[in-house]
Amino acid sequence: MRTYLDCIPCFVRQGLSALREVCDDEQEIDRILKLVLQEIAAFERHKSPPEMAQAIHALIRYELGRVDPYHEIKQRSTQQALEVVTDVRQRIATSAQPFHTAVRYAIAGNILDFALASRFGTRGI
């Protein structure tokens, strides 16, 4: 997998979104986002998008001086997941195809990406 030019706007959005998630200081966000833009500009396109995302998030962690700036969102997402466990188990148990339904929930759980969205529920799975 390689990075295409079409990936660049997503990297910028992802960096800005991550910064806003973990920092309230607009000047600090602006300063770090400029560094993210430099990182994106220097990124070699033969590398994969996950490699770029990793570099962006490492830069944000470094600049903010935090080991895990996403601790709070991880805590919230875990709490949200725990809140729907009973409903998910009920849907699996009453499904005409319980294994198929369980696999779909497992897939959904594995593709949750807070770089793309920060809210989830059980509808539509």
Side-chain angles (χ1 to χ4, degrees):
M1 178 187 316
R2 66 183 292 267
T3 297
Y4 295 92
L5 292 174
D6 294 331
C7 300
I8 293 171
C10 184
F11 294 144
V12 175
R13 183 179 39 79
Q14 187 178 90
L16 179 58
S17 177
L19 282 164
R20 285 201 169 133
E21 185 65 40
V22 298
C23 182
D24 294 328
D25 183 339
E26 285 291 314
Q27 289 181 335
E28 185 72 350
I29 291 170
D30 183 59
R31 181 187 72 78
I32 298 171
L33 186 59
K34 288 175 182 173
L35 296 173
V36 167
L37 291 168
Q38 290 174 1
E39 185 77 19
I40 293 168
F43 188 70
E44 298 174 25
R45 288 193 307 124
H46 70 274
K47 294 183 179 178
S48 71
E51 288 175 290
M52 180 74 252
Q54 182 180 20
I56 289 170
H57 292 287
L59 174 66
I60 291 169
R61 284 191 307 275
Y62 176 80
E63 290 297 322
L64 290 174
R66 298 182 190 172
V67 174
D68 186 1
Y70 306 102
H71 178 76
E72 289 179 28
I73 194 169
K74 289 176 184 177
Q75 292 296 328
R76 286 195 315 265
S77 66
T78 297
Q79 184 58 44
Q80 288 174 332
L82 290 172
E83 290 171 5
V84 300
V85 165
T86 301
D87 185 41
V88 169
R89 286 183 177 157
Q90 178 68 23
R91 288 173 185 242
I92 292 169
T94 60
S95 172
Q97 298 178 312
F99 179 76
H100 177 77
T101 302
V103 168
R104 291 180 73 189
Y105 276 108
I107 291 168
N110 282 317
I111 63 171
L112 287 176
D113 185 345
F114 289 101
L116 302 176
S118 60
R119 300 183 74 191
F120 62 92
T122 59
R123 292 190 151 293
I125 297 207

